[in-house]
Amino acid sequence: MYLTIKATGTHASMISHLLAKNPNNLYDRTEKGARIRLVYTSFQPEETEVLLFVTPDPIDLVKGSPDHYDITQYINDRELVVSSLFCSYIRPALGTALNGKPKADYIDWVEHLFTLHMSLGPVASDLPDHVIESLFQPLGYEVQMERGEIDYSFDLKNRSTVRHIQISGQQTLQHMLRQLYILIPVLDNYKHYYISDDEIERLQRYGEGWLSTHPQHDLIIKRSLRFAPLIKEYEQKVAKNEDITNVSTELSTNQAEASEMKSELSEDQGKQYDPNQTEPPVIRLNELRYRAIVEQVSQLPQHKQIVDFGAGEGKLSVRLGEIEGVEQIWAVEPSMQSQLRAIDRFAKLEGRTDYVIPVMTTGSLFYRDERWVDQDVIILCEVIEHINEVRLPQVIHTLFTDYRPQTLIMTTPNREYNEVYQMGNDEIRHTDHRFEWTRAELEQYCTQWIQDRPYTFTLSGIGEKHEQYGQPTQMVVFHRIGGQHL
């Protein structure tokens, strides 16, 4: 991945002071598992060019990820293309220029208009050329794009979607870099991090003076924030013309939890709490899920032995330990990173005699484990949508035929409710979701699953109800007929 910055004309060499990088020295650093090198390919008073080159470690990209065990994580283009990852890599190298804080002797040059030429790539974008041009041209740039011709041995396509982009224009170095810092993730439409309300602050900070009047403002905001609650929050901040320093304070109620729950789904980024409002704060959807499941388990006649599949960081498992009559909870999770966080959470309960401490263990629904046979309750909270549909029948067979729980509880997103979040028809709430079902589709699958099996099921919803689209989360509870173990 590369970015070149070229200044031409009088005083072109002054960009070296704005970058705070000595032309005689090679900048060579390692940031977040990637090697970043910055070198001056040309340094003359009227022509100065800087090349920033990034080489990520592909293993480090997936190391520690919840899906590090999945080999498909190694088959991706993230190490090769300019994306949000690239922005996080280059930010330390370009921080002085981005923030406009060079040494005092050169502070006046921050507002100087240079003739700048920047090129970057490769960019893997699903946007057509004319849309990419419409992102840069209103900012006063000339845009050129190059894409390689491809030669497949079968008829697929004759042009690569990967492009190398060049923009040129009169601009301050700081503004051009800030604009790229926002637009690069828009081009790639990928975020390697959890999109929280911190993103609003980033947009306001780096979009100051240009973003609000950009003709493609709505497209930029949608691809930057993605989710309706965050987009609405951003619009409210812009409408009120609030200072950016107040953003973190106003959103602080959910911000602490958001940083802890980076793997949560988009709808969990619900309405934010305003201390000045008279109505009580809106409860996060994830909290509502936990409450609904705990209430359901509490009412079951048999709930001594519980298995929480896909337990993650153990938040639901901890809640289950408070239920009267529970004797053992298995928290089953394949991700070692999540397991470690869960173990820390469980350790805080040590010494409590009124509490059942969950047992953390490694496991998967893709193979049979004798420990889970004939348990009272098995729970899959927001799990099945992360399973490839082609493998789902195997999982269902394992659950109903091999494990045979007295009660099986599942929750999964309601795809219809995505309309309330103003999501497109082809959008899903989380990048790892393999599917999202409507209420009718889930009912149809449940009917198929219990065919010739001794189970009945009931369907319900969790979260704020919409008259047409129902509730954001669907919950299905399967009860074994007869209520006796085999």
Side-chain angles (χ1 to χ4, degrees):
M1 299 181 282
Y2 73 91
L3 169 68
T4 64
I5 305 170
K6 183 179 181 180
T8 59
T10 308
H11 305 303
S13 61
M14 296 304 296
I15 68 167
S16 65
H17 298 290
L18 299 178
L19 292 168
K21 299 294 182 292
N22 190 327
N24 298 314
N25 297 333
L26 170 65
Y27 177 92
D28 193 342
R29 301 286 189 276
T30 298
E31 296 283 349
K32 304 176 183 177
R35 186 179 181 186
I36 299 97
R37 284 164 286 184
L38 185 149
V39 61
Y40 286 79
T41 55
S42 174
F43 186 69
Q44 302 296 329
E46 296 187 357
E47 181 179 297
T48 297
E49 184 177 59
V50 179
L51 170 63
L52 192 62
F53 192 79
V54 178
T55 310
D57 181 345
I59 303 299
D60 194 75
L61 283 176
V62 296
K63 189 185 300 181
S65 164
D67 296 323
H68 69 275
Y69 58 88
D70 186 351
I71 193 172
T72 59
Q73 294 295 318
Y74 292 83
I75 308 171
N76 61 66
D77 62 4
R78 296 301 91 191
E79 64 178 290
L80 304 173
V81 298
V82 168
S83 65
S84 63
L85 273 170
F86 182 74
C87 292
S88 70
Y89 293 146
I90 67 174
R91 184 174 179 178
L94 302 178
T96 302
L98 271 169
N99 295 322
K101 294 182 178 180
K103 291 183 178 179
D105 292 342
Y106 309 103
I107 195 69
D108 291 341
W109 291 95
V110 172
E111 298 299 325
H112 181 78
L113 294 176
F114 293 94
T115 301
L116 294 172
H117 315 266
M118 289 196 187
S119 59
L120 62 147
V123 177
S125 179
D126 58 352
L127 295 175
D129 288 354
H130 73 275
V131 176
I132 294 178
E133 291 172 349
S134 71
L135 291 173
F136 292 101
Q137 287 176 344
L139 300 174
Y141 301 124
E142 295 182 5
V143 184
Q144 292 182 330
M145 280 173 280
E146 297 179 0
R147 65 168 88 206
E149 297 296 324
I150 53 179
D151 184 18
Y152 292 112
S153 59
F154 53 92
D155 186 17
L156 182 61
K157 57 183 180 181
N158 56 19
R159 289 207 310 168
S160 172
T161 55
V162 175
R163 277 152 282 189
H164 298 264
I165 300 175
Q166 302 174 21
I167 61 173
S168 304
Q170 291 278 330
Q171 186 57 277
T172 69
L173 179 62
Q174 181 187 30
H175 283 169
M176 185 178 258
L177 289 175
R178 288 188 166 198
Q179 289 160 355
L180 281 180
Y181 195 69
I182 287 181
L183 294 179
I184 284 175
V186 172
L187 294 171
D188 187 75
N189 201 28
Y190 165 83
K191 292 287 178 65
H192 70 283
Y193 53 85
Y194 175 77
I195 304 176
S196 70
D197 34 43
D198 290 339
E199 200 77 358
I200 297 175
E201 181 180 351
R202 189 182 73 89
L203 288 172
Q204 290 188 310
R205 177 184 301 164
Y206 296 119
E208 184 180 3
W210 66 274
L211 182 54
S212 61
T213 58
H214 197 291
Q216 289 284 20
H217 172 270
D218 291 346
L219 174 67
I220 296 170
I221 297 304
K222 182 177 181 180
R223 287 171 76 101
S224 295
L225 298 178
R226 298 201 180 179
F227 307 125
L230 282 180
I231 294 174
K232 182 178 180 180
E233 187 67 30
Y234 171 83
E235 291 172 346
Q236 290 174 347
K237 300 303 177 187
V238 172
K240 293 179 181 178
N241 195 26
E242 293 180 353
D243 190 271
I244 188 173
T245 56
N246 294 326
V247 175
S248 297
T249 303
E250 276 196 29
L251 304 180
S252 60
T253 301
N254 283 338
Q255 189 171 10
E257 186 176 0
S259 63
E260 182 184 353
M261 304 177 65
K262 292 184 179 180
S263 63
E264 292 298 337
L265 306 181
S266 64
E267 71 272 21
D268 289 338
Q269 305 167 21
K271 300 176 183 178
Q272 312 298 329
Y273 173 58
D274 183 350
N276 296 319
Q277 67 184 20
T278 57
E279 297 181 1
V282 176
I283 301 173
R284 293 170 62 90
L285 180 57
N286 203 58
E287 170 67 19
L288 295 177
R289 290 195 200 102
Y290 293 162
R291 292 184 183 184
I293 292 172
V294 169
E295 180 181 1
Q296 183 67 46
V297 174
S298 302
Q299 297 172 357
L300 296 174
Q302 293 179 245
H303 57 251
K304 293 181 179 179
Q305 308 288 329
I306 302 176
V307 183
D308 181 12
F309 271 108
E313 299 177 6
K315 296 178 181 179
L316 174 59
S317 297
V318 165
R319 302 287 188 91
L320 296 169
E322 300 174 338
I323 300 175
E324 184 178 355
V326 172
E327 296 180 358
Q328 186 173 45
I329 302 166
W330 293 96
V332 185
E333 172 60 40
S335 166
M336 184 58 65
Q337 184 181 39
S338 295
Q339 283 191 38
L340 293 174
R341 293 177 180 173
I343 290 171
D344 287 340
R345 178 173 276 108
F346 300 160
K348 298 175 182 178
L349 304 174
E350 295 289 347
R352 291 185 56 175
T353 58
D354 61 336
Y355 209 97
V356 177
I357 300 176
V359 177
M360 193 77 235
T361 185
T362 301
S364 170
L365 286 166
F366 295 125
Y367 60 82
R368 189 177 187 272
D369 192 318
E370 289 293 334
R371 292 176 294 177
W372 321 138
V373 175
D374 289 334
Q375 296 290 319
D376 291 327
V377 184
I378 289 181
I379 300 171
L380 279 70
C381 178
E382 304 300 292
V383 171
I384 61 172
E385 64 272 10
H386 295 270
I387 301 171
N388 288 325
E389 284 193 87
V390 69
R391 304 186 70 180
L392 199 53
Q394 172 196 342
V395 170
I396 295 301
H397 177 84
T398 300
L399 288 168
F400 286 105
T401 304
D402 294 337
Y403 293 161
R404 306 182 301 273
Q406 288 297 301
T407 304
L408 173 63
I409 301 174
M410 293 182 182
T411 69
T412 191
N414 170 18
R415 192 181 73 199
E416 299 166 77
Y417 205 85
N418 292 351
E419 290 284 345
V420 180
Y421 296 132
Q422 300 177 13
M423 298 170 62
N425 293 331
D426 58 343
E427 290 186 278
I428 55 178
R429 301 186 198 176
H430 192 280
T431 55
D432 190 53
H433 286 184
R434 305 304 197 257
F435 60 84
E436 290 175 356
W437 290 335
T438 65
R439 289 167 290 176
E441 288 171 335
L442 177 60
E443 183 174 10
Q444 181 179 0
Y445 276 109
C446 291
T447 302
Q448 294 175 2
W449 292 342
I450 67 170
Q451 188 173 0
D452 299 325
R453 292 183 172 120
Y455 283 91
T456 60
F457 70 88
T458 57
L459 289 166
S460 58
I462 301 172
E464 185 176 354
K465 189 172 183 179
H466 187 277
E467 182 177 352
Q468 179 178 355
Y469 302 117
Q471 293 166 274
T473 293
Q474 306 182 76
M475 182 169 71
V476 55
V477 181
F478 297 91
H479 296 282
R480 187 174 181 83
I481 297 175
Q484 297 296 321
H485 291 302
L486 295 180

